[in-house]
Every structure is written in structure tokens, then in C-alpha cells.
Amino acid sequence: MATIDDLKDLLSQDVHQLQELAELLQKEKACLSSSDVRALQGLTSEKNQLLEQVRGRARQKIHCLVAMGYKPDSGEPSRFLRSAGLTELYDLWKQADTSMRKCQALNQHNGRVMAHLQKRLSRLTDIFRGATGQQKLYGQKGEHTTVSSRTILASA
């Protein structure tokens, strides 16, 4: 029974911290739109701390599930909880999973905004360097790369 209570506590902490993470990601989105770099740095460190705590609890949750009889190669833990008749744990698991998916979606959106800002900065630096007339090709990861038309044959 102690293992079930431990798992319940871990899942409750996950739900709470994932909600905090979602709020941080919303703040990050606002900072990205206003280009507030200082606030963004503070949010990034907070986000990293929350993520580290969530990762640590993920290991603990697996240990609790294994102690309850779960086999990691048997499928998703939510199926195990549902089939064991642990509805309260199953509901907490689903709630944490929903919060995690929300955080992933917010993080992906912020990543796209960040990539757009990086492309814009790259274009501006090209303009400052006078490299705007040069041809651009796509690289391996889909990013633009400038192709120089100058060829150095020899140097003294």
C-alpha cells in the first residue's frame, strides 16, 4: 500500500508542477513576443529546474510501478493501472499526461517562434555584412545557408 500512496504523491506533484510549467511557457511566449531577454533568461532557469524535478520523479514512478508488478516491456503504465483497478491512480496519470501534452504543445510553439526570430536575426546580420546579394541554398536541416561566389585560388 505504501507504494500506491508514493505513486499517488508523485503523480500529484507532477500534475501541480506541470501546471506551473504551462504557466511558465505562457510567460515565455509573452517574453518572446516582447523581446524581453532578461525575463526570458530567468524563466529559462525556472523551466529547467521544473523539468529536472519532473524527470527525477519519472524515474521514481517507474520504480514504484515495477514494485507494484508492472513490467516495462508490457505496454503503457496507464493500461497497467486501469487493468489493476486503480482508478484514482489512473485518473491522476491521465491528468498528468494531459498536462504534459499541453506543455509539449506550448514548448513547440515557443520553439517555432524562437526559430523565426533566429532566421530574422540571421537575415539582419547578412544585411549588415553586405551579404544580401549572395545566393542562398538549403542545408541538411532545412536552414538557409549563404553560398559565396568568391573563390580563392591562392594566397601569398
Side-chain angles (χ1 to χ4, degrees):
M1 272 316 193
T3 306
I4 292 173
D5 292 336
D6 291 343
L7 185 57
K8 186 192 286 187
D9 289 341
L10 292 170
L11 287 169
S12 295
Q13 289 174 19
D14 272 355
V15 168
H16 176 71
Q17 283 195 323
L18 287 170
Q19 289 170 348
E20 284 181 38
L21 182 60
E23 291 172 12
L24 275 176
L25 290 167
Q26 291 288 355
K27 290 177 186 175
E28 183 181 64
K29 181 181 176 181
C31 288
L32 286 171
S33 66
S34 67
S35 300
D36 189 355
V37 177
R38 288 197 177 132
L40 192 61
Q41 289 173 338
L43 289 175
T44 301
S45 66
E46 281 184 64
K47 184 171 72 168
N48 288 336
Q49 288 173 352
L50 281 174
L51 286 171
E52 194 59 40
Q53 291 172 0
V54 170
R55 283 186 198 111
R57 274 196 306 281
R59 289 183 218 98
Q60 293 174 337
K61 287 185 295 191
I62 292 297
H63 289 296
C64 287
L65 286 166
V66 168
M68 293 168 57
Y70 170 71
K71 293 177 179 53
D73 59 347
S74 66
E76 292 185 22
S78 60
R79 272 197 254 156
F80 169 78
L81 293 173
R82 187 176 46 193
S83 67
L86 302 167
T87 55
E88 188 176 359
L89 286 176
Y90 176 75
D91 291 341
L92 276 172
W93 189 279
K94 281 304 204 185
Q95 190 176 358
D97 184 57
T98 302
S99 295
M100 178 68 78
R101 291 180 193 280
K102 178 181 178 184
C103 288
Q104 285 175 333
L106 288 168
N107 195 46
Q108 286 174 347
H109 178 270
N110 290 351
R112 285 190 298 272
V113 170
M114 188 84 73
H116 176 72
L117 291 173
Q118 286 174 338
K119 283 182 185 178
R120 192 168 75 182
L121 181 63
S122 175
R123 280 188 239 136
L124 286 173
T125 54
D126 284 348
I127 290 169
F128 288 138
R129 286 185 298 161
T132 57
Q134 295 180 348
Q135 293 179 338
K136 296 204 179 236
L137 297 175
Y138 287 106
Q140 289 177 334
K141 296 180 183 175
E143 75 281 354
H144 286 263
T145 56
T146 304
V147 179
S148 177
S149 60
R150 291 185 231 144
T151 305
I152 299 174
L153 298 176
S155 62

